[in-house]
Amino acid sequence: RVVQNAIIRQGGMPTAMQSAPARCEFRGGIEAYCYAASSVLQPVTGRFIVCENWLNHARVLKGGQDAHLDLLKMMRVEGKKGRG
């Protein structure tokens, strides 16, 4: 498997194949995930739960809006204080 394309917004290319997709947008950004979710969710009762870096907050909101998803709840999660 050879990576042909990736969006890296900070840091370098990850070297671990298992964790790389969690650190870089190899399979599309949050916008693509919102669109994919909206295409398969049940109307009214369907739920799409996502965890995304707070730096991408505006992208998450716009991606959800563009995919016609309603934001029901948001929880800001912060990493451990004092870590790099």
Side-chain angles (χ1 to χ4, degrees), residues 39-61:
S39 71
V40 296
L41 287 173
Q42 292 292 320
V44 182
T45 60
R47 297 291 184 264
F48 171 54
I49 300 168
V50 64
C51 181
E52 178 60 78
N53 183 324
W54 188 256
L55 296 173
N56 293 327
H57 179 68
R59 289 179 59 206
V60 172
L61 295 178

